[in-house]
Amino acid sequence: MLYFITLAVLVPNCIASVSSSSSRPTDTNTKRLIRRLFDENEYDNRIRPVFNETSPIHVEMLLYVKSILDMDERRQILKTNSWLTFNWNDEFLQWNPEDFGGLTSFKIISQSVWTPDITLYNSAEAYARYMDDKVVVVYHTGAINWASPTVFVSHCRISVTLFPFDRQSCEMKFGPWQHDGTEVVVRGQGDESIYISDGEWDMQSVDVASKSQMYPDAPGIEYFDVTYTISITRRSNYYVFNLILPCVLISGITTLVFILPADSGEKVSLGITVLLSLTVFLLIIAESMPATSDVPVIGQYYAATMLLVSVSVVLTIIVLNLHHGGPYVHPVPRWMRYVILYRLARFLRLNPKATNPLKAGGRTIDIDSKPPGENNPKKKRPMRIPSTTDDPDMMEMPKLAYLECPDSPLLGIHANGSARGSHRKSHPSLEGQPSLSEETILLKRLLGHASYFRDRAERDDLTHTYLTEWKQIAVVVDRIFMIFYLVLSAATMLIIIAQVE
């Protein structure tokens, strides 16, 4: 009975001890291996792990660009998310797998082993040891693999000449800061197969160049470095729809300045409004571009468009001056009438109304002739209503005003409206007999008034004819200026497209 009780107690304990020892053989081997490599062999991670101190350590570097986090054109800084891998050989960390249950590798914190001081030379932020606080894999041959995702912020010389159709090439230069070429040799590889676009930049390639170089702070000593050249292309659709297309539409609206009638009074104000709109868009572009001497293509296009709009405003002012004729109306020169109204107008499919000569009072006044009295020095005085001082016969008007003339509508009325001669007695000798002097004076006054109004009407008609011709010339010139503007706008756009291509 006692035998069975003892057996029942010992058998489970033996089984538990066997199962526990068989369930963690690796942990035991790893601990023994680490104790041997780091404690018994007195491993020191502060010195290069080589038995021959003159032998360099070869470091293989691999950079996988995951994505572009930010491209600051104004500060010229590139921020990338990368997967970085380093491989080198540590001669102090080697063992025979058979001595440790076939264990061929183990993982340990990176501070426990020696790591190369590889630094991003063109970093745009504070230098930090990004290799610390990571996990490395140690193989029985002494090979060490360090791999971790890392965010790099580097300087990038950005060329904005072709913005927003630009392609940028940014360099990331890695190398040891203290270990020279006799201690650490760095070689690199690159890959863009895992790249994910951020919506603005597309990856073109990742080129790698390994070389040795001397630096001013350590003359005569060569250092190895690896330079990764990341070539990316900007997706321009966003900028086309938000910056270029509005500029094209605003430039098209400028043609309305030439189509708008001159009498509307809004031609110049429309041109100024378009110019201010372009200025606002140009300021938006300038805020995002670096302060360099390179002018982007879109900036050139905006500047050229603003120049054309400014020229259109000047041309509009010229057209308005032609339309209104100025304060002194002059006849249209014959050559201008022939070239503009009869040649260019027909070429532009414009049919201005012909201005026929004016005929009044049996006299023909051509539209090219000057106003009456302009060629004759004797008639340069302004037209006025004849008065009693213009003719000797008119001097007798005060005398005849007191005569009994009941049949006269002019001489029989005083200036105050009362009938002349109403306070005088009638002369029997004059009753029923007409006065020849009265009729002559009356006719002269009537002819003077008629001549004055006739000359004035002729001058007004002549001035209206001149203004009509000037307005027709303004329409033709306005159309010519519009064609000139459209040609320059198309040429500007073609030049910009040629630069982009």
Side-chain angles (χ1 to χ4, degrees):
M1 186 65 180
L2 182 61
Y3 173 78
F4 289 106
I5 294 174
T6 303
L7 185 62
V9 172
L10 293 179
V11 169
N13 292 334
C14 292
I15 293 175
S17 62
V18 171
S19 62
S20 62
S21 61
S22 60
S23 63
R24 294 184 299 171
T26 305
D27 292 343
T28 302
N29 293 331
T30 302
K31 288 183 179 180
R32 289 192 303 109
L33 178 59
I34 292 176
R35 188 181 304 110
R36 176 182 172 182
L37 294 176
F38 292 94
D39 297 338
E40 297 178 5
N41 294 344
E42 297 181 354
Y43 181 85
D44 193 348
N45 60 358
R46 296 172 296 178
I47 61 175
R48 290 190 311 118
V50 290
F51 293 108
N52 186 0
E53 294 183 354
T54 60
S55 300
I57 296 178
H58 294 270
V59 179
E60 296 293 333
M61 179 179 178
L62 292 89
L63 182 68
Y64 303 90
V65 180
K66 179 67 174 178
S67 62
I68 303 295
L69 299 181
D70 185 29
M71 170 68 83
D72 192 341
E73 290 88 353
R74 192 169 186 83
R75 299 174 56 196
Q76 299 197 8
I77 292 177
L78 174 66
K79 188 175 184 179
T80 57
N81 179 19
S82 305
W83 292 359
L84 191 60
T85 301
F86 290 104
N87 293 306
W88 70 91
N89 192 66
D90 193 324
E91 297 181 0
F92 296 161
L93 298 178
Q94 298 179 358
W95 71 92
N96 186 2
E98 296 179 356
D99 297 339
F100 297 93
L103 183 64
T104 58
S105 64
F106 65 90
K107 296 179 176 65
I108 196 171
I109 196 71
S110 59
Q111 286 91 330
S112 301
V113 300
W114 177 90
T115 54
D117 61 333
I118 296 179
T119 307
L120 178 61
Y121 285 176
N122 59 334
S123 177
E125 59 182 7
Y127 290 94
R129 286 187 57 84
Y130 56 88
M131 299 187 69
D132 294 341
D133 298 327
K134 301 295 188 295
V135 177
V136 297
V137 181
V138 182
Y139 296 92
H140 70 281
T141 58
I144 296 181
N145 174 266
W146 181 101
S148 175
T150 308
V151 176
F152 291 109
V153 181
S154 60
H155 289 287
C156 176
R157 182 172 178 79
I158 300 174
S159 176
V160 297
T161 303
L162 299 179
F163 174 86
F165 308 99
D166 53 335
R167 175 178 177 176
Q168 304 296 337
S169 296
C170 299
E171 294 184 352
M172 299 176 63
K173 188 175 182 179
F174 295 88
W177 193 263
Q178 287 292 341
H179 295 93
D180 56 36
T182 61
E183 298 173 332
V184 174
V185 178
V186 183
R187 293 288 185 269
Q189 297 179 8
D191 191 358
E192 70 279 1
S193 58
I194 63 172
Y195 178 78
I196 299 177
S197 177
D198 62 341
E200 183 178 2
W201 297 96
D202 289 332
M203 178 67 67
Q204 299 297 317
S205 63
V206 176
D207 300 325
V208 187
S210 301
K211 62 180 184 300
S212 61
Q213 185 178 353
M214 296 182 183
Y215 297 92
D217 59 341
I221 302 177
E222 290 187 349
Y223 290 83
F224 286 89
D225 60 71
V226 178
T227 302
Y228 291 90
T229 303
I230 302 174
S231 299
I232 52 179
T233 303
R234 190 192 304 269
R235 291 184 177 181
S236 58
N237 292 338
Y238 172 81
Y239 299 96
V240 168
F241 284 99
N242 290 277
L243 293 179
I244 297 180
L245 186 59
C247 181
V248 174
L249 294 178
I250 292 175
S251 178
I253 292 175
T254 309
T255 57
L256 299 178
V257 175
F258 302 99
I259 300 175
L260 198 65
D263 293 328
S264 65
E266 300 293 335
K267 291 174 72 70
V268 176
S269 60
L270 178 59
I272 297 298
T273 303
V274 172
L275 188 61
L276 293 177
S277 301
L278 291 174
T279 304
V280 172
F281 278 98
L282 187 60
L283 290 176
I284 295 175
I285 298 174
E287 290 179 356
S288 60
M289 293 293 100
T292 62
S293 59
D294 297 333
V295 181
V297 173
I298 189 172
Q300 297 176 13
Y301 178 64
Y302 270 87
T305 304
M306 290 175 64
L307 177 62
L308 291 177
V309 173
S310 302
V311 172
S312 69
V313 173
V314 175
L315 298 179
T316 300
I317 294 175
I318 296 175
V319 170
L320 291 177
N321 283 328
L322 292 175
H323 177 82
H324 295 289
Y328 304 101
V329 180
H330 300 284
V332 178
R334 291 182 180 273
W335 67 268
M336 187 178 293
R337 183 188 298 111
Y338 176 77
V339 173
I340 296 179
L341 292 183
Y342 293 99
R343 293 296 182 184
L344 293 178
R346 293 178 181 177
F347 178 76
L348 297 174
R349 302 299 181 183
L350 296 175
N351 297 317
K353 295 181 180 180
T355 54
N356 296 324
L358 296 175
K359 294 182 180 181
R363 297 181 301 154
T364 300
I365 302 176
D366 188 59
I367 55 176
D368 292 328
S369 63
K370 297 182 180 179
E374 186 173 343
N375 293 328
N376 189 355
K378 298 181 181 179
K379 297 183 179 179
K380 288 188 177 179
R381 64 180 183 273
M383 181 66 68
R384 61 186 177 89
I385 301 176
S387 64
T388 58
T389 59
D390 293 336
D391 193 276
D393 296 332
M394 303 292 285
M395 299 294 294
E396 299 183 6
M397 279 293 294
K399 299 179 181 179
L400 297 176
Y402 296 99
L403 298 177
E404 291 288 345
C405 299
D407 297 331
S408 175
L410 296 176
L411 300 179
I413 300 176
H414 286 289
N416 58 6
S418 63
R420 291 176 179 174
S422 59
H423 62 284
R424 290 180 177 269
K425 296 181 180 180
S426 302
H427 292 273
S429 61
L430 298 176
E431 291 181 359
Q433 296 181 4
S435 176
L436 298 177
S437 298
E438 176 191 353
E439 293 179 354
T440 303
I441 294 171
L442 178 61
L443 291 175
K444 284 187 177 182
R445 293 191 66 181
L446 292 176
L447 289 175
H449 284 289
S451 177
Y452 169 75
F453 287 112
R454 181 199 63 189
D455 292 341
R456 183 169 182 176
E458 289 179 354
R459 280 203 311 271
D460 291 343
D461 292 342
L462 198 60
T463 301
H464 178 73
T465 301
Y466 293 158
L467 289 176
T468 302
E469 280 195 336
W470 282 116
K471 289 181 180 180
Q472 293 175 359
I473 289 177
V475 172
V476 178
V477 172
D478 210 3
R479 190 64 54 87
I480 294 173
F481 287 163
M482 184 185 70
I483 296 174
F484 175 73
Y485 173 81
L486 292 176
V487 170
L488 288 182
S489 298
T492 301
M493 187 171 294
L494 292 177
I495 293 173
I496 297 300
I497 293 175
Q499 289 183 4
V500 173
E501 295 296 333

